[in-house]
Each structure stands twice: as C-alpha cells, then as structure tokens.
Amino acid sequence: MTPRTRRRTEALSRDRIVEAAVELLDAGGEAGLTFRTLTERLETGAGAIYWHVANKDELLAAATDGVVAAALAVGSPGSPPDEIRAVALGLFEAIEQHPWLATQLALQFSRSPSGSVTPRIFEAIGRRVRSLGVPAGHRFTTTSALVSYILGAAGQNAANAQSAAHANRAEFLDAVSDAWEELDAREYPFMREIAAEQRGHDDREQFLAGVDLVLAGITAVHRAG
C-alpha cells in the first residue's frame, strides 16, 4: 500500500476524521474547520467524510468529546480529593491547549446535555463526589458546583491567555496590576489591596487552590458520619 493510499484509507476512519478536525480547530478555531479544509487535510472526498459525520455540528461535538475523553483518562492517584484534582487539572490543561474547547463545552452543556460530553464530565466528577461521603440528595448540587467552577475558571484562564497571546505575560499582568493600583481608593479598596497578589501569580496554582476551597467546603458541609 502506497503512502497516499494509506492516507486515503485512514480518512475513512471516524477517529481519523475527528483527529483532523481537532488539528484544524487548534490552528484556526471554529472558522478554520470546514468540510472543504477537512477534505484537503485528509486528501479525500466530502462523501467519505459525510459517511461518518452528518454535519459540522456533529463533527464539533465529536471533536469536543474526543478531547474531553483524553483529558479525563487519568489514573487513580489516591484519595477522592486527589482524583478530583487530577480530573480538574486534566480539563484545565485541555482547555488551555485547545482555545476553542471552552466555547464548545458551554454549547454542549446548554444545547445538548444528553449528549456524550456532559455525562462524561459529570460521571468523572460525580463518582468521586460520592466517594467523598456526600449523601444522596446532595450529589447533583455538589457535583454541579465543582463542574461549574472547573469549567468556568479554566475557560476564563484560556480567555486571559488569548488576550495576552501577543504580549509578554509578565508585562500583561504588570499592566493589569498597575491599573488596579490606580483605581480610586475609596471606591475600590479591595481591588487596590489585591493588585500586588495578581502580579506574577501562577494560573495553575490559583486554579487548584480554588478546587481545594470547593473541596474544603464540601467536606465541611457533608462530613461522613
């Protein structure tokens, strides 16, 4: 089999189509993913792609699910809190590495909560929440709070990274901190107080500190026994 024939054979695989879609999304966002660019990337015809995916929405959902599945493929590092941190960090890194993912996750949660993405994320977090000793009747709310924080904070971090993409991160944070320090002291006393903390902070450490705060609250409210 020649390399060209091999590529055409691979293009007939749904997994390979999704892989190529993720590559195009990473390179150009949702606008960069069209069936035309996909056929060019895979060196195949549109019919071969439509055999596996019906339309762009289905392709975006499959790409989102594929990235999320890889992010959640974590081992069992130990205790339920440690496993929740590992799952959270996996999602954080996936959203950081794939700038389009945060928007697609929001769409999947709002438009297609019965699809594969929402159950996959809730299952990964929820089974660990149950292991924390959270009683039945409180697990949905608890898991929702964790998922909301994880996706919201990770999405905000990705948006901040995009804003600072064309500037030095340290310079960007310095500029933000300087602006906060110049706010009116009577109207924004708190913002002026935390300006120095914001300068040079580590996004990942801040994210995991937030996870720990949520976990501490869960433990305080739902102490096993």
Side-chain angles (χ1 to χ4, degrees):
M1 180 182 294
T2 66
R4 185 177 182 83
T5 303
R6 185 178 300 111
R7 286 195 297 270
R8 287 183 180 277
T9 301
E10 290 173 352
L12 298 176
S13 163
R14 180 182 171 89
D15 289 343
R16 176 62 190 126
I17 292 171
V18 171
E19 179 185 351
V22 171
E23 293 169 357
L24 290 170
L25 286 164
D26 288 347
E30 184 178 342
L33 175 63
T34 66
F35 274 75
R36 179 177 179 178
T37 57
L38 193 57
T39 56
E40 293 173 352
R41 174 63 65 96
L42 294 170
E43 297 185 358
T44 189
I49 296 175
Y50 281 115
W51 178 263
H52 294 281
V53 288
N55 50 50
K56 185 174 179 178
D57 286 343
E58 183 180 333
L59 186 56
L60 285 167
T64 302
D65 187 54
V67 171
V68 168
L72 296 179
V74 298
S76 298
S79 65
D82 287 340
E83 292 188 6
I84 288 174
R85 292 186 193 97
V87 169
L89 189 57
L91 290 169
F92 177 89
E93 292 176 343
I95 292 172
E96 185 176 53
Q97 293 166 10
H98 305 280
W100 53 273
L101 184 59
T103 299
Q104 289 304 314
L105 284 172
L107 290 174
Q108 289 295 317
F109 269 67
S110 62
R111 297 180 182 177
S112 184
S114 60
S116 58
V117 174
T118 302
R120 192 185 296 280
I121 293 176
F122 263 79
E123 181 66 27
I125 299 294
R127 70 174 64 177
R128 274 90 180 186
V129 164
R130 184 174 57 191
S131 297
L132 286 173
V134 175
H138 297 274
R139 293 170 187 163
F140 171 69
T141 299
T142 303
T143 301
S144 295
L146 263 169
V147 170
S148 295
Y149 169 76
I150 292 168
L151 298 187
Q156 185 61 57
N157 175 74
N160 292 343
Q162 287 293 100
S163 298
H166 302 294
N168 178 279
R169 182 178 184 276
E171 293 177 356
F172 176 79
L173 292 179
D174 283 343
V176 173
S177 297
D178 290 343
W180 288 2
E181 288 173 346
E182 293 173 2
L183 292 170
D184 185 279
R186 292 170 297 180
E187 190 172 0
Y188 298 101
F190 175 75
M191 294 301 295
R192 288 170 59 93
E193 177 186 331
I194 65 171
E197 295 180 44
Q198 200 276 152
R199 192 188 306 274
H201 73 277
D202 184 280
D203 293 328
R204 183 171 303 193
E205 290 180 2
Q206 183 186 49
F207 172 76
L208 290 175
V211 173
D212 286 341
L213 284 172
V214 178
L215 289 175
I218 293 171
T219 302
V221 174
H222 301 295
R223 292 186 183 278

